[in-house]
Amino acid sequence: MRRTRAALLLVLASLWGAPALAAAPTGACPAIPLAGADAAAVRTPSAPDAWGGPRTGKEPTLSNRTVAYSIDAELDPVKHTLKGKQALTWRNRSAQPVCSVYLHLYLNGFEGPGSTFMTEQRASESGFRSNVKTQDGEYGYIRLDKVAQGGAPATWTFVQPDGGPKTDRSVVRIDLPQPVAPGASTTLDIDFFDQLPRVVARTGYYGSFHLVAQWFPKIAVLELPGERGATAPRWNAHEFHLHSEFFADFGSYDVRITVPKDYIVGATGMLAGKPVEKGGKATHRYLQDDVHDFAWTADKRYAKPMVKTWNGPLGPVEVKVLYTPEYTSNAEPVMQATIDSLAYFSRTLGAYPYKTVTAVVPPYGAGEAGGMEYPTFFTADSTTEVAPGSIGRWMLDFVTIHEFGHGYFYGILASNEFEEPMLDEGMNEYWDQRMMTERKQDIALERPGSRWFGAGARITPFMMERLGANLGDPADPLGGNSWDRLSSGSYGTVYSRTATAMHHLEAQVGTPALERAMKLYYARWKFRHPSIADLRDALAEGTGQPAIVDGVFDAFIYGTGRIDDTISRLDSREVLPLPGYRMFNGKQVLVGSAQLDKAIKARRDAWKAKHPDAKPGQGPFPYETVVVVRRNGVIAPQTLRVTFADGSKRDVAVTSSRSWQRFTFDTSSKAVSAELDPEGRVHMDRSELDDSRTIEANPGAKRRWFGDFAAILQSLFAFFSFV
């Protein structure tokens, strides 16, 4: 059996153009470890000079460029294959020689059941988004045919840095013929071959439509001490997981794409000159500096692209929308949402730094290609329901805004989506919903018959996020990595729970302070790969309220805290004279019940005669009101508001760190209701339904239950429609 297995491995290795096993270099260079499989939630801030220090705008380039890709690629749209040649130039930023580098081969996540991606998909209770099944003949892969350094062949070995199955080939170690000296650069000449999968999980083909993403050998990131918590040089090269996305160095791309001449192409960056036609084919050249990825699309069915110009603070930006004829109605809404996003993000974070942005409306049948982001290029949603106010239009607008927003949080800030997905997905979701709120674009749920239930017709963006955030039983800290989670549902809360936590923080520190802090975060960390600790420190400094920021991060980002404050008791009783002995003229006098009842009635009658318009709950005798607040989980600043029959209100701070606090009020009228957080500042509370009580029954709870149920359904629908 061992000999047979070894022989099989050698055969497979020869098919892939590399030895099945390759020893790591010894002696020439000190070994550089890989980031751990448990890497997540960085607590130590990065050094001030991390990634070359803050980009002030005075530097000759937007980013401290580490890589340069020069790629020639030719698409066979019938076989859905791609032949590629790539010159990858990489600069060694470290102070030690490097003898091995790591490359991501993301397409191998779709090669078959042995990949980490497919293994995790089978284990997932809900799969990936729509859970499209890959049939025979629809798998995809990337094959290395040659890797050479200065003309000398390199050897390579497939590795599994996160302990995934040995059959996973999404990460490969390249052992170099010559070490790369500190501060020096080297170029790898790579020939590769892609078989695109039937569109699934952000890439692939459907008919003549091709979304070509995760398609080229891509070098991993060598992190240095003081960067994202690293204390020594380390390679950050994780396997391609079911829910993980990407992390890469900034650099320059020069990509030549050859397709049949009747195909329309869209891509990252700017088209350099007119396509060059030869032999029925056309070669399109795209250039883009200061980005960390490159993706493109080609389809012979695309209509004439819609193109407009947005005049931003850094000059004109060409905005392009690609779409097929069946979704002509989607083009204008996607264009408008993209232009609105350019304006909003430029105003609230920082000026858009590139000259182009391309949005793609996926064709019918290629929904898995929708809702994905790459630098200056993203795929939106598609719908047949574009009427303003419809759920279909809401989804189309939101997915467009969401994917554009990634251009800031994933693209320009370039956080590590493997280890700290909340910095992209969660923070982007939060900023997107702020934009949707500013647009006054709620989710309209009113349908024929819904009013019969007393249901509200609209759900605000942050209400939707709150109800999808699993606030009552969070399984994993928001700062956790993308793969080591209880479930796909727990990963999903990275979106909604982060958005809710940040909305909660904004309510505590105030909107102006939060907006000031986010501008500081962006200005300090653009083009530099921040960590969660870097976000925390920027928010603490920018708001000037570090205690509140640290409390939110400790509870929800680094921990699984929950807030569950409730009003467990509300009593309000009239304080009447009681029978018994009284001292009168130095003597004890018995006041009997019958005598007292008669006096009370007389006093009531006299008071009513003087106050004929008095409301129930008012009278000649005082009232004692008792409210008990139960506190479970994280102690958050709370306000208790008690409203009385005469219309007066009493606000008191709930300050106790005990599990309960009792309040007593002596007033001239009866209490009507008691409510926690009347100003709506505590957004992380598990449930709002137990945050208030009334003396009399209130039918409004029925309407709130219906609204909550509808919002949960919409939250689930929204999450599984994009990533």
Side-chain angles (χ1 to χ4, degrees):
M1 289 294 291
R2 288 184 179 179
R3 283 191 176 186
T4 303
R5 183 180 181 189
L8 177 60
L9 287 172
L10 288 173
V11 170
L12 290 173
S14 66
L15 290 174
W16 282 79
L21 296 174
T26 58
C29 310
I32 298 177
L34 287 153
D38 59 349
V42 175
R43 288 181 177 269
T44 303
S46 298
D49 62 348
W51 314 104
R55 311 303 291 181
T56 64
K58 297 179 181 179
E59 299 80 10
T61 59
L62 292 176
S63 69
N64 185 11
R65 300 172 188 170
T66 304
V67 294
Y69 292 88
S70 178
I71 307 175
D72 288 282
E74 182 171 347
L75 174 70
D76 183 333
V78 177
K79 296 180 180 179
H80 314 294
T81 59
L82 197 74
K83 290 183 179 180
K85 289 182 178 294
Q86 168 177 300
L88 191 171
T89 301
W90 176 78
R91 176 167 55 90
N92 178 8
R93 298 188 305 123
S94 77
Q96 65 186 69
V98 172
C99 284
S100 298
V101 300
Y102 292 84
L103 301 180
H104 292 284
L105 301 177
Y106 289 116
L107 272 185
N108 285 341
F110 312 117
E111 69 173 334
S115 73
T116 296
F117 186 100
M118 293 293 192
T119 301
E120 292 176 350
Q121 186 178 46
R122 288 195 303 276
S124 170
E125 82 287 354
S126 59
F128 180 87
R129 303 206 295 192
S130 64
N131 207 17
V132 171
K133 294 184 182 299
T134 303
Q135 307 297 329
D136 289 347
E138 296 181 344
Y139 295 95
Y141 62 84
I142 178 172
R143 184 181 71 222
L144 289 179
D145 290 333
K146 182 190 84 171
V147 180
Q149 180 194 35
T155 57
W156 61 84
T157 307
F158 292 101
V159 297
Q160 298 78 35
D162 302 327
K166 295 298 182 182
T167 45
D168 180 74
R169 303 211 237 211
S170 61
V171 179
V172 63
R173 189 186 74 230
I174 308 295
D175 298 326
L176 304 174
Q178 292 294 325
V180 186
S185 296
T186 192
T187 297
L188 301 181
D189 294 307
I190 302 173
D191 292 353
F192 64 97
F193 177 85
D194 291 346
Q195 171 64 64
L196 296 176
R198 189 259 187 225
V199 68
V200 59
R202 318 177 183 96
T203 191
Y205 70 88
Y206 182 77
S208 63
F209 168 78
H210 296 80
L211 176 64
V212 187
Q214 295 92 46
W215 61 285
F216 60 93
K218 187 177 179 186
I219 195 164
V221 178
L222 180 61
E223 294 181 315
L224 304 183
E227 296 175 349
R228 298 191 58 260
T231 56
R234 68 182 182 193
W235 281 102
N236 204 295
H238 295 288
E239 297 156 39
F240 190 23
H241 295 273
L242 177 65
H243 294 302
S244 72
E245 291 188 347
F246 316 108
F247 180 48
D249 280 315
F250 284 100
S252 299
Y253 285 82
D254 183 345
V255 183
R256 282 82 60 191
I257 301 165
T258 300
V259 298
K261 68 177 183 179
D262 59 340
Y263 273 60
I264 291 177
V265 173
T268 293
M270 182 173 291
L271 185 64
K274 293 182 179 180
V276 177
E277 295 187 11
K278 182 179 179 181
K281 300 176 182 179
T283 299
H284 306 249
R285 185 186 185 194
Y286 284 87
L287 302 173
Q288 184 60 60
D289 294 324
D290 303 305
V291 294
H292 48 77
D293 208 347
F294 187 100
W296 54 283
T297 183
D299 194 347
K300 66 182 179 182
R301 293 186 60 241
Y302 280 137
K304 181 180 179 181
M306 178 179 288
V307 181
K308 293 186 179 182
T309 298
W310 178 72
N311 292 308
L314 297 180
V317 177
E318 179 188 83
V319 185
K320 181 184 293 184
V321 178
L322 298 178
Y323 59 95
T324 47
E326 68 268 28
Y327 290 124
T328 300
S329 64
N330 289 203
E332 183 57 45
V334 169
M335 172 63 76
Q336 189 59 55
T338 303
I339 289 175
D340 290 351
S341 298
L342 280 162
Y344 181 80
F345 280 78
S346 292
R347 172 170 55 85
T348 60
L349 291 176
Y352 184 74
Y354 305 117
K355 299 301 181 185
T356 65
V357 57
T358 298
V360 179
V361 178
Y364 179 80
E368 279 294 296
M372 189 54 205
E373 71 282 352
Y374 291 93
T376 79
F377 174 93
F378 66 86
T379 57
D381 198 10
S382 55
T383 182
T384 58
E385 192 179 22
V386 296
S390 65
I391 290 180
R393 176 60 178 273
W394 189 94
M395 284 297 302
L396 184 65
D397 286 353
F398 179 71
V399 173
T400 300
I401 292 167
H402 182 83
E403 303 311 327
F404 173 87
H406 276 305
Y408 274 73
F409 290 97
Y410 145 83
I412 301 168
L413 288 163
S415 49
N416 188 328
E417 295 182 297
F418 288 100
E419 297 177 2
E420 298 179 312
M422 67 142 288
L423 285 178
D424 173 44
E425 298 293 357
M427 294 301 294
N428 181 41
E429 185 95 347
Y430 166 57
W431 217 248
D432 302 335
Q433 295 294 31
R434 291 180 97 256
M435 178 176 168
M436 294 292 280
T437 300
E438 184 176 285
R439 277 180 136 208
K440 296 181 170 55
Q441 198 162 355
D442 298 341
I443 302 169
L445 290 178
E446 187 171 302
R447 291 293 184 270
S450 64
R451 290 190 179 187
W452 185 83
F453 291 97
R458 308 185 76 82
I459 292 179
T460 65
F462 280 111
M463 182 188 296
M464 183 197 77
E465 298 294 349
R466 218 189 81 81
L467 293 166
N470 195 21
L471 298 177
D473 186 24
D476 297 294
L478 286 172
N481 62 35
S482 64
W483 62 90
D484 188 17
R485 290 180 174 269
L486 175 66
S487 63
S488 290
S490 179
Y491 173 77
T493 64
V494 167
Y495 296 75
S496 53
R497 194 161 182 258
T498 303
T500 305
M502 291 303 298
H503 190 45
H504 174 86
L505 176 61
E506 180 178 350
Q508 305 306 308
V509 300
T511 294
L514 191 284
E515 291 178 343
R516 185 171 61 247
M518 285 298 291
K519 285 185 175 180
L520 172 65
Y521 172 59
Y522 177 79
R524 179 177 292 171
W525 288 105
K526 61 185 177 181
F527 301 106
R528 291 184 65 212
H529 313 293
S531 70
I532 285 175
D534 298 324
L535 170 65
R536 178 199 63 204
D537 283 11
L539 292 175
E541 180 181 339
T543 63
Q545 302 179 66
I548 294 177
V549 172
D550 289 347
V552 168
F553 272 67
D554 288 343
F556 310 121
I557 310 301
Y558 296 118
T560 54
R562 65 188 186 118
I563 297 173
D564 188 14
D565 292 350
T566 66
I567 293 180
S568 64
R569 176 187 170 191
L570 171 62
D571 294 321
S572 192
R573 298 178 181 178
E574 198 173 24
V575 181
L576 299 175
L578 298 176
Y581 284 96
R582 300 284 190 276
M583 291 298 297
F584 182 74
N585 291 333
K587 297 181 180 179
Q588 285 186 313
V589 178
L590 176 64
V591 180
S593 296
Q595 181 183 9
L596 196 59
D597 289 344
K598 183 177 179 181
I600 289 172
K601 182 179 182 306
R603 188 169 176 180
R604 286 188 196 280
D605 291 342
W607 191 90
K608 287 180 180 180
K610 291 183 178 180
H611 305 86
D613 298 324
K615 298 178 180 179
Q618 295 179 275
F621 299 101
Y623 283 82
E624 181 184 78
T625 297
V626 177
V627 182
V628 176
V629 176
R630 291 298 308 272
R631 313 206 76 181
N632 296 300
V634 176
I635 302 300
Q638 287 273 22
T639 297
L640 170 66
R641 174 171 293 172
V642 181
T643 302
F644 298 91
D646 62 1
S648 63
K649 294 178 171 61
R650 294 275 296 275
D651 286 358
V652 294
V654 184
T655 58
S656 176
S657 59
R658 299 171 64 186
S659 65
W660 62 272
Q661 189 170 358
R662 182 186 293 116
F663 300 88
T664 301
F665 303 88
D666 295 317
T667 57
S668 61
S669 60
K670 187 177 183 179
V672 174
S673 63
E675 179 184 8
L676 287 172
D677 190 32
E679 296 176 348
R681 300 176 61 209
V682 184
H683 299 291
M684 294 297 286
D685 195 295
R686 181 189 68 84
S687 173
E688 293 179 339
L689 289 172
D690 56 12
D691 286 352
S692 61
R693 276 181 177 257
T694 59
I695 295 295
E696 305 294 336
N698 187 348
K702 173 184 68 176
R703 293 191 290 272
R704 292 183 66 176
W705 276 114
F706 185 89
D708 285 3
F709 174 71
I712 290 170
L713 292 180
Q714 180 61 24
S715 298
L716 293 173
F717 174 62
F719 171 67
F720 287 111
S721 295
F722 64 87
V723 168

